[in-house]
Amino acid sequence: MIKVVLYSEDRTLQPLLSSALGREFHLRQETDGEDIKNLVGAARCDVLILDLYSNRDGLEKSIESSRRLISLGVPAVIMADEDLYSRASGFINQEAFGYCRRPPSIRELKNLLRRANETVSMKRQLESAEERLDEAAGCDRLIGTSPLMQRVYRQVRNVANLNAVVLITGESGTGKELIARAIHNLGPRSSQPFVAVSGGAIPETLIESELFGHANGAFTGTVGSHEGYLEKAGDGTLFFDEIGELSLSTQVKLLRVVQELEFSRLGSTRLIPLRARLVFATNQDLSKLVATGKFRQDLYYRINVVRIQAPSLQSHSDDVPLLANHFLCRYSILFGKPVDRIEPKAMELLFDHSWPGNVRELESVIQRAIIDAPGRSIRAEDLTLIHDEDYSSEDSSVVNIDDYLPSGSFEKQLRDYKIKLAVAAVRENNGNKALAARSLGMSRAYLYRLIGLAESEMFEQRAAAYSD
């Protein structure tokens, strides 16, 4: 039940509205601003209705009280007659949730109250979740309450106070740097620098100079010495992303740093003690790079001491609504645009998407939707989602379904069994293919291909029966 407080001196209004709104709403009328503040403080008010009408005494006092009530932290709906429309519009610009005419359209008022309640409810959930994550991870930018994310928080807590090397693995866009920052912020080095370096963003000819620094005259044309990232990190944390992009020659020099905890600038023999903590990250499978000779095995063993896997967004899709609303709150403020709600159909699209670009893709989608949204809510048509099959193809590279397998072969039997599983999962999930794919742990694109094969075979069987 949605708890609604009506601020009005019209005693005939409360019984009329209570009867019209029905059991979904509990309506309480108050005429004193202090009483309303107490109700808000006791969490006995979800939405506030501010009643303004021109044909009475004390209007200016009521308007001034309404201005103060808008700032209490619960969404306020202004109900005003035609003569006060301009003032009501001013209230909306001053953070009121919405406006309806007096006397109200009950359908319009119900929709306003529901939307207002959904908005404040989601914000409360978000604040509560962020508080829990602050305690768990020491970083308010890590978002998620799923079991996979809870596991990441536990790992972060376990290693934050240690001086061990950490390797963070995971697909691009999963928040590996945020995990590294959480480790830094929660540990004893939090007051020291956090220096982030990307091995793929620095040209090969400059990487060693940027990482180790160089002495005066180390290269032709250099003037003065240069402090590298290892020195800049000081007693803080050096986060090295895309470690798999380093050349073998640079890997040798980095191995010595990890082993001996010292380094020297290029062109100098003076050894500099390593004081910073090292955290590495990669979106590649380093063990495969080792097997192909592209990554040194000894360096791999040295940096793979403590390993944290950043989960793909598809693997913890239950966190999509929480993440989406987090980005909605953040970027609506940053863009200065009052968009405060994601409509149910839009949220369903977000929930069903496979997110091959992970959290970074979701963040980008919400940013664009805020910019495109014409009103205060994000609609399904405001979302720009790239279809799963537009991504080359992670799915087709993993499994290739051959329609021409020999009858009775092991491969055909295996394919037929997968088709039966896919059809059964769709049936069990009432035709929702996104949920069916999630329950089987496969992508939607692959499930669609299996269902397509099932439909094709059914059609062929019916055609054969008809021809007989």
Side-chain angles (χ1 to χ4, degrees), residues 359-407:
V359 179
R360 187 180 296 139
E361 181 190 357
L362 174 60
E363 183 177 11
S364 177
V365 165
I366 296 299
Q367 286 179 354
R368 291 197 301 269
I370 292 172
I371 293 170
D372 293 340
R376 298 190 63 157
S377 62
I378 291 177
R379 308 162 303 167
E381 53 264 42
D382 298 325
L383 297 174
T384 305
L385 295 173
I386 300 176
H387 195 274
D388 297 344
E389 295 184 0
D390 289 343
Y391 280 85
S392 55
S393 52
E394 213 170 310
D395 294 323
S396 59
S397 66
V398 174
V399 181
N400 179 29
I401 299 177
D402 188 351
D403 292 324
Y404 302 99
L405 294 172
S407 176

Side-chain angles (χ1 to χ4, degrees), residues 138 223 298 442:
V223 177
D298 45 8
M442 65 175 61

Side-chain angles (χ1 to χ4, degrees), residues 242-422:
E242 298 186 52
I243 184 68
E245 299 293 332
L246 287 183
S247 67
L248 290 172
S249 61
T250 306
Q251 290 178 33
V252 172
K253 296 179 181 179
L254 184 59
L255 173 64
R256 175 174 175 78
V257 175
V258 179
Q259 284 180 328
E260 307 299 331
L261 301 181
E262 60 184 17
F263 61 95
S264 59
R265 294 180 178 179
L266 299 183
S268 172
T269 57
R270 182 176 71 87
L271 293 175
I272 303 171
L274 174 69
R275 308 199 316 269
R277 178 180 192 165
L278 298 177
V279 178
F280 298 98
T282 181
N283 60 4
Q284 302 184 64
D285 187 336
L286 293 185
S287 61
K288 289 184 178 179
L289 294 182
V290 169
T292 57
K294 296 179 181 179
F295 199 86
R296 292 185 61 93
Q297 187 177 56
D298 45 8
L299 178 59
Y300 175 61
Y301 290 145
R302 285 289 182 180
I303 66 175
N304 192 23
V305 177
V306 177
R307 184 169 178 171
I308 298 177
Q309 175 72 28
S312 66
L313 183 54
Q314 188 178 21
S315 66
H316 64 111
S317 57
D318 289 350
D319 288 325
V320 166
L322 191 63
L323 285 160
N325 280 284
H326 168 76
F327 293 134
L328 178 68
C329 292
R330 180 180 180 186
Y331 288 105
S332 62
I333 293 172
L334 184 64
F335 296 160
K337 190 173 179 182
V339 181
D340 50 25
R341 178 176 179 266
I342 300 175
E343 294 185 358
K345 287 185 179 179
M347 186 63 79
E348 185 178 348
L349 285 177
L350 295 176
F351 189 78
D352 286 346
H353 190 53
S354 65
W355 301 111
N358 294 297
V359 179
R360 187 180 296 139
E361 181 190 357
L362 174 60
E363 183 177 11
S364 177
V365 165
I366 296 299
Q367 286 179 354
R368 291 197 301 269
I370 292 172
I371 293 170
D372 293 340
R376 298 190 63 157
S377 62
I378 291 177
R379 308 162 303 167
E381 53 264 42
D382 298 325
L383 297 174
T384 305
L385 295 173
I386 300 176
H387 195 274
D388 297 344
E389 295 184 0
D390 289 343
Y391 280 85
S392 55
S393 52
E394 213 170 310
D395 294 323
S396 59
S397 66
V398 174
V399 181
N400 179 29
I401 299 177
D402 188 351
D403 292 324
Y404 302 99
L405 294 172
S407 176
S409 70
F410 172 76
E411 289 82 2
K412 187 176 187 306
Q413 292 180 51
L414 181 61
R415 188 204 66 179
D416 291 344
Y417 180 66
K418 289 180 179 179
I419 290 174
K420 289 179 182 178
L421 285 177

Side-chain angles (χ1 to χ4, degrees), residues 40 45-48 68-76 95 116 119-121 123-124 127:
V40 171
C45 174
D46 297 320
V47 187
L48 186 61
R68 290 195 296 268
L69 292 173
I70 287 174
S71 62
L72 289 180
V74 294
E95 297 181 346
T119 299
V120 74
S121 176
K123 285 182 179 178
R124 285 171 182 167
E127 289 169 0

Side-chain angles (χ1 to χ4, degrees), residues 214-218 221-226 265:
H214 64 253
N216 185 25
T222 58
V223 177
S225 59
H226 172 69
R265 294 180 178 179

Side-chain angles (χ1 to χ4, degrees), residues 150-215:
Q150 292 297 330
R151 180 185 177 190
V152 171
Y153 304 145
R154 287 195 298 272
Q155 292 175 309
V156 167
R157 285 199 308 271
N158 291 340
V159 304
N161 291 311
L162 304 178
N163 202 34
V165 175
V166 177
L167 175 63
I168 305 172
T169 58
E171 300 172 7
S172 295
T174 52
K176 295 186 288 295
E177 182 173 340
L178 296 183
I179 294 174
R181 287 185 182 274
I183 294 171
H184 174 79
N185 291 339
L186 197 62
R189 300 173 182 266
S190 59
S191 61
Q192 301 299 320
F194 177 90
V195 177
V197 186
S198 175
I202 304 173
E204 177 62 30
T205 54
L206 297 177
I207 185 66
E208 291 186 16
S209 173
E210 292 299 307
L211 188 57
F212 303 106
H214 64 253

Side-chain angles (χ1 to χ4, degrees), residues 126-147:
L126 184 61
E127 289 169 0
S128 175
E130 288 183 340
E131 286 175 6
R132 294 197 302 271
L133 301 185
D134 285 347
E135 295 173 0
C139 178
D140 60 1
R141 295 187 65 193
L142 277 174
I143 302 294
T145 57
S146 63

